[in-house]
Amino acid sequence: MKPKEIFGVPVHKKGSFHDTEAKKDYANPEEVHEGFNRLKERFMLINNWKSYCGEGFADFKLFDSEGEMVDRYPLIGDYVRIDIPGPGTVEAKGYDWVEITDLFEERTHGICLDFVMMTCRPSKNPQDKTSGHILHFYSDEATSTFGIFKGRDFIQAGIYGRNETPNMDAEFIDKARNLLIAAGGMIGISKIQWKTLVNGFLDF
């Protein structure tokens, strides 16, 4: 099985990958337009993601480039702090961090009429000005691209993981944690979490 080739999603070169999607069909264009607007609002409010998925799901919080928590739509250069179920990083006081490296919205005349794509990459903690360590269970070569799409009679949400390899640039105890979590992701545990999120985006 090969990863999908999707505009805006980085090319997969090594490690594990996943393509996780959910779709909702509609009977008429007005419903599609209304549904996509609601989906976009839910998608862009990262601080609310956990509320779509319930207990046992990771908690996401948006931070600006200076490391201050914000409650707004994301921007390139922002960071997302992730509190995944189970043990977090020792160095980052229990959290994993990613940086938003790409974010764009497009309109086309093909199958998908509108779409929004956001790519995140494992990063340092923006609140720690002394350490450059990547604080995430994957290395900084990994990416997660979150996308929402509007077609003529459907809306869709997708999450696309690429180049997922364990982060070994960490303290010893964090290396062991990263290996265990990355191994879990490679056998599908993380995909279950992502499937919960894409379903949650569309459950309104």
Side-chain angles (χ1 to χ4, degrees):
M1 184 176 177
K2 294 182 179 181
K4 292 183 176 181
E5 294 184 5
I6 300 171
F7 178 76
V9 176
V11 174
H12 181 70
K13 297 180 179 178
K14 65 178 182 179
S16 63
F17 70 89
H18 70 89
D19 296 315
T20 308
E21 297 172 326
K23 184 179 180 183
K24 180 179 269 190
D25 295 313
Y26 288 96
N28 63 69
E30 290 77 15
E31 290 181 327
V32 175
H33 181 71
E34 180 182 345
F36 185 72
N37 286 342
R38 294 185 68 181
L39 173 59
K40 183 177 177 180
E41 180 79 4
R42 292 164 73 86
F43 177 80
M44 298 296 274
L45 293 176
I46 293 173
N47 293 339
N48 294 348
W49 284 6
K50 182 179 174 65
S51 68
Y52 314 147
C53 303
E55 295 302 317
F57 189 76
D59 192 19
F60 295 79
K61 296 299 180 186
L62 182 67
F63 289 73
D64 65 18
S65 59
E66 298 301 315
E68 296 293 328
M69 187 183 294
V70 291
D71 190 15
R72 56 161 169 75
Y73 282 11
L75 302 171
I76 293 175
D78 283 347
Y79 293 84
V80 181
R81 188 188 73 187
I82 309 167
D83 184 6
I84 67 171
T89 60
V90 172
E91 189 175 356
K93 300 179 173 61
Y95 300 112
D96 294 274
W97 289 88
V98 296
E99 181 181 0
I100 298 173
T101 58
D102 200 10
L103 176 63
F104 63 92
E105 183 171 0
E106 293 282 347
R107 293 187 174 185
T108 70
H109 299 286
I111 295 175
C112 286
L113 305 180
D114 294 276
F115 61 95
V116 181
M117 305 290 279
M118 179 175 69
T119 296
C120 299
R121 189 180 296 272
S123 73
K124 64 181 182 179
N125 176 358
Q127 299 174 324
D128 185 352
K129 308 303 182 184
T130 62
S131 173
H133 281 175
I134 299 300
L135 298 178
H136 192 278
F137 49 88
Y138 286 140
S139 76
D140 61 354
E141 295 179 282
T143 59
S144 293
T145 301
F146 302 80
I148 55 172
F149 311 87
K150 180 177 80 171
R152 299 188 187 281
D153 58 358
F154 71 90
I155 59 174
Q156 182 172 305
I159 304 171
Y160 309 96
R162 298 291 184 266
N163 303 302
E164 297 173 336
T165 58
N167 174 23
M168 303 308 292
D169 181 21
E171 295 182 2
F172 176 77
I173 193 167
D174 283 340
K175 285 182 182 179
R177 167 194 178 266
N178 295 345
L179 280 168
L180 285 171
I181 295 178
M186 290 169 189
I187 62 173
I189 294 173
S190 66
K191 183 164 183 176
I192 294 171
Q193 289 268 317
W194 292 137
K195 186 63 175 176
T196 301
L197 181 57
V198 293
N199 287 340
F201 281 145
L202 297 174
D203 185 17
F204 46 76

